[in-house]
Amino acid sequence: MDIKELKQQLEEIIGSSLTLLEMDPEIWTGLGNDNSLDQPASGMARLHDQPRWLWKTDSSKAYVFEAETPLTEREIRLIDLLLSAAREKSNHQPFPSKRDDESRCTELGKWLQEQIKSGNLQSTVPDDMAIKPKLAGNLFPFLLNCEDRLGQEVQYSKLNKLLRSYFGGEVVLVPMTESRLVLVREALLLDVQDESNEGIETERDMLGALCQGLYELIANEWGGGGFRLTVGDKLIKQERLVPATIALQETMLLGRIFQVSEHIYLPWDLELERLVYHIPDDRRQQFIEESGVDSHLLEDEETLITLETFFQLDCNVSETAKRLYIHRNTLLYRLDKFKQETGLDVRSFQDAVLVKLRILLYKVTKRL
């Protein structure tokens, strides 16, 4: 039994620290005799109406966990569940190994994939699933996609160790087909944000910066060509785990369609793409035919890159010319030529919107 690991798990559930004290075995026995405990005076117990939990080891030692903040009834139930499960499985056995953690997370991954396949979006993690206590509280979901064999063969233990080091604490790493779901407690991300506030004004800034840092770390460790990364726009609770996972998978798909050259996909940067992707096929085709932009124009790499860079830089001519390493007049010539061929001037807002939509539809239809 690892008392420190148990302490860490309890702290993750309540989101605050616990004080660990050793108790004299005689005091433990006395508490059991005067019915102060919720359980018999052996194994694990909770003092009546007090934020304290007791653990008695095989060596006749007893430990007390004392919470520094009031606990909710839900937190108390979750802690009781964890202690009860540990008592049933311990019986002079060591606390669950790292290999056990991997199998529990793998079980969760299989369950998630089954729910997604069956369309059970409202399913909640079963109470008897061993990983459930680690899903308590607010979680930020990340999805790491491994497209090549090297990425898929990265050992669970090595990746988990890397993630723990990056986020500064324990995360839940869930293996899934060709991807890894990473669940990070809100408290860990707030700590990261406090440590580096430079250039971070919003939650989205923080998540974007975390994705960039994580991708660079993975790329340096294993090579970045086969990895792609996305993050959930909002923190979730375990009750929303299935739809949150679906949303991550969709963001990953959209990124691979519309941002082929990128490796990090942020959902708030793909809102228009998400809308276009869900337009019915017949409506897509109707818009393509009415847009006035022939597909052969977008098949020209120079034209497509010019337009995408122009839109990415908010239709700023000077900045686009700098980014493309061309003279300003060369860029104006390309835009004028496009206007002559389509009748659309992308320097005007309305025409720019139409051309942007046409490019997105071109990518969807090309993909299909």
Side-chain angles (χ1 to χ4, degrees), residues 8 37 41 96 104 134 160 182 193 260-261 346 367:
Q8 183 180 15
L37 299 178
R104 292 174 179 182
K134 289 191 175 183
N160 192 38
V182 183
Q193 185 179 20
V260 180
S261 61
V346 293
R367 170 87 176 187

Side-chain angles (χ1 to χ4, degrees), residues 310-311 314-315 345-356:
F310 185 64
F311 295 144
D314 298 324
C315 300
D345 186 355
V346 293
R347 286 163 290 190
S348 72
F349 176 77
Q350 184 171 345
D351 287 357
V353 171
L354 292 174
V355 175
K356 173 67 175 179

Side-chain angles (χ1 to χ4, degrees), residues 46-309:
R46 179 165 62 90
L47 289 173
H48 286 309
D49 301 323
Q50 296 186 47
R52 297 182 180 182
W53 289 267
L54 286 72
W55 174 290
K56 188 171 186 291
T57 69
D58 300 329
S59 58
S60 299
K61 292 181 180 179
Y63 294 93
V64 176
F65 296 108
E66 185 168 1
E68 298 178 357
T69 57
L71 304 177
T72 66
E73 285 299 320
R74 184 172 180 274
E75 290 172 334
I76 291 174
R77 287 197 301 271
L78 285 172
I79 291 176
D80 283 342
L81 179 63
L82 177 62
L83 294 179
S84 177
R87 181 176 66 252
E88 292 174 1
K89 293 185 177 181
S90 61
N91 291 330
H92 315 306
Q93 296 178 3
F95 210 71
S97 66
K98 293 181 179 179
R99 187 66 182 174
D100 292 330
D101 286 339
E102 179 179 355
S103 63
R104 292 174 179 182
C105 290
T106 300
E107 180 187 25
L108 176 60
K110 291 180 179 178
W111 177 84
L112 278 172
Q113 291 175 121
E114 290 173 358
Q115 305 314 304
I116 293 172
K117 184 177 180 180
S118 303
N120 300 324
L121 305 187
Q122 304 304 319
S123 298
T124 59
V125 179
D127 291 336
D128 60 354
M129 191 167 288
I131 195 65
K132 186 163 185 173
K134 289 191 175 183
L135 303 178
N138 293 325
L139 302 166
F140 277 94
F142 296 76
L143 189 67
L144 178 65
N145 184 262
C146 314
E147 295 185 344
D148 60 15
R149 185 169 181 176
L150 174 63
Q152 295 176 32
E153 291 180 349
V154 171
Q155 291 184 3
Y156 175 94
S157 59
K158 290 184 177 180
L159 180 57
N160 192 38
K161 182 178 179 180
L162 188 71
L163 293 170
R164 286 172 60 106
S165 173
Y166 181 71
F167 288 110
E170 186 174 6
V171 303
V172 177
L173 175 60
V174 184
M176 301 179 69
T177 304
E178 296 186 355
S179 64
R180 307 289 185 271
L181 176 66
V182 183
L183 302 173
V184 184
R185 288 185 296 110
E186 180 183 17
L188 287 182
L189 296 196
L190 293 178
D191 290 342
V192 172
Q193 185 179 20
D194 291 339
E195 292 174 4
S196 178
N197 286 319
E198 184 177 355
I200 297 179
E201 298 180 357
T202 66
E203 183 179 280
R204 289 182 173 182
D205 292 335
M206 175 191 69
L207 294 174
L210 283 171
C211 284
Q212 184 63 45
L214 180 57
Y215 175 78
E216 292 173 359
L217 183 63
I218 293 175
N220 290 333
E221 189 73 19
W222 289 295
F227 290 95
R228 298 180 187 276
L229 183 66
T230 186
V231 63
D233 188 14
K234 300 176 182 178
L235 58 84
I236 61 169
K237 295 184 182 295
Q238 57 180 276
E239 293 81 3
R240 298 291 298 165
L241 192 53
V242 175
T245 303
I246 293 175
L248 288 170
Q249 292 177 336
E250 183 177 76
T251 299
M252 186 68 70
L253 173 63
L254 294 174
R256 294 174 64 181
I257 294 175
F258 296 106
Q259 298 179 352
V260 180
S261 61
E262 302 295 330
H263 292 88
I264 299 173
Y265 309 132
L266 304 176
W268 48 89
D269 289 339
L270 290 164
E271 292 176 346
L272 184 58
E273 287 81 352
R274 193 182 307 275
L275 176 63
V276 169
Y277 181 77
H278 287 287
I279 295 177
D281 290 343
D282 57 340
R283 298 296 294 171
R284 287 181 192 160
Q285 190 59 42
Q286 180 181 355
F287 183 87
I288 290 173
E289 294 172 355
E290 296 175 353
S291 68
V293 182
D294 293 333
S295 295
H296 79 274
L297 292 174
L298 300 180
E299 291 170 356
D300 179 72
E301 184 176 359
E302 180 182 272
T303 300
L304 185 59
I305 291 176
T306 298
L307 292 172
E308 288 196 306
T309 306

